[in-house]
Amino acid sequence: MAIFYWKGGVNTAWATATNWFKDEALTVAAGAFPSGGTDIAVIPASGSLASIATLGANRTIAAFIDLSGGTYRFEAVDYTLTVGSASFVGASSNSAGKITGSCSFSGVDSKNNTGGTVTGGCIFDGTSNSFRNNGTVIGGCLFIGASGRAGGTITGDCLFSGSSTRNLGATITGNCIFSETTARHSSGTITGDCIFNSTGANSATVVGTCVFSGTSTGNSGTITGNAIFHTGTGMSNSGTVSGVLVPLVPITNTGTASSLPIDALVSGI
């Protein structure tokens, strides 16, 4: 196993040996570049302003760790970097390249950026006031950090559990759980079933069945499927439900539903 530290400055190519060093202080030249399945590539906080813009070939390494705080970018889109894990720890560090393997974006405002493709699961656990995913993720996603937004395309199940996390325009093909009080589906399309244990709830499009269980939660969007309201108080439907609206607790219904079960007459609408 060898650890390589990126300095860059010579060019933006992964396969240029003089871009890499043996130590984080960037004083000892590596004389080689990460090229083996046990190698680890580290983007340190120090060094010249340089992005990794080309891989030159498909690369497979053990881990990729970005500590740069936004000084660098992983932008290599010519080939795919396959990793056991990739960690974007620095503030505003991000990827716009192609990565196969699990990724975590824990730095403030770190993200899978526009053009970035991750084939594997992603964890977005750093605080943010912007989009955590603007690219493509083929795998499940956890939005844990506060105020993280989902955009782009996600093929996989998603959990929105950070404060004020939301889907804000992403196309998600998978099931979603909104479990934190203010987590919500604000815009975009979810093709799958959803659970809203939140006050934010749904104001966009869900192609599937929705279960509402949070206090003061509700639907003001479009649900192509059934909508089940239970457990919580202050629930409402002011949107459109194409399937059956099932109020297991009293709700306010000023929207539309194709059909209602008989117990709606007992529970009240």
Side-chain angles (χ1 to χ4, degrees), residues 60-155:
T60 298
I61 61 173
F64 179 89
I65 304 171
D66 186 352
L67 303 170
S68 67
T71 302
Y72 303 85
R73 296 287 187 273
F74 179 73
E75 298 176 340
V77 296
D78 53 338
Y79 292 96
T80 299
L81 177 65
T82 299
V83 297
S85 64
S87 301
F88 295 84
V89 180
S92 299
S93 60
N94 63 61
S95 172
K98 293 189 292 187
I99 297 176
T100 295
S102 60
C103 292
S104 64
F105 298 84
S106 58
V108 175
D109 288 328
S110 61
K111 61 180 71 69
N112 181 38
N113 217 345
T114 302
T117 299
V118 176
T119 303
C122 285
I123 299 175
F124 301 94
D125 61 344
T127 59
S128 175
N129 289 310
S130 62
F131 286 96
R132 306 310 302 279
N133 179 60
N134 255 336
T136 298
V137 178
I138 304 172
C141 291
L142 302 178
F143 292 87
I144 300 173
S147 301
R149 275 66 165 136
T153 301
I154 300 171
T155 303

Side-chain angles (χ1 to χ4, degrees), residues 4-7 14 20 24 41-46 50 52 64-69 71-74:
F4 295 82
Y5 296 86
W6 171 269
K7 179 179 180 180
W14 179 282
W20 296 94
E24 189 171 0
V42 178
I43 313 301
S46 59
I52 299 175
F64 179 89
I65 304 171
D66 186 352
L67 303 170
S68 67
T71 302
Y72 303 85
R73 296 287 187 273
F74 179 73

Side-chain angles (χ1 to χ4, degrees), residues 122-239:
C122 285
I123 299 175
F124 301 94
D125 61 344
T127 59
S128 175
N129 289 310
S130 62
F131 286 96
R132 306 310 302 279
N133 179 60
N134 255 336
T136 298
V137 178
I138 304 172
C141 291
L142 302 178
F143 292 87
I144 300 173
S147 301
R149 275 66 165 136
T153 301
I154 300 171
T155 303
D157 298 333
C158 294
L159 172 65
F160 295 83
S161 64
S163 175
S164 296
T165 53
R166 67 191 65 186
N167 179 34
L168 197 62
T171 298
I172 300 175
T173 303
N175 303 317
C176 293
I177 298 175
F178 297 83
S179 65
E180 201 278 333
T181 303
T182 52
R184 67 194 70 185
H185 175 35
S186 297
S187 61
T189 300
I190 297 174
T191 303
D193 299 330
C194 292
I195 297 175
F196 293 94
N197 184 22
S198 59
T199 58
N202 177 53
S203 57
T205 300
V206 177
V207 184
T209 291
C210 291
V211 177
F212 298 89
S213 60
T215 299
S216 298
T217 191
N219 171 52
S220 60
T222 300
I223 299 173
T224 305
N226 301 327
I228 302 170
F229 293 82
H230 77 97
T231 305
T233 60
M235 294 183 164
S236 64
N237 172 52
S238 59

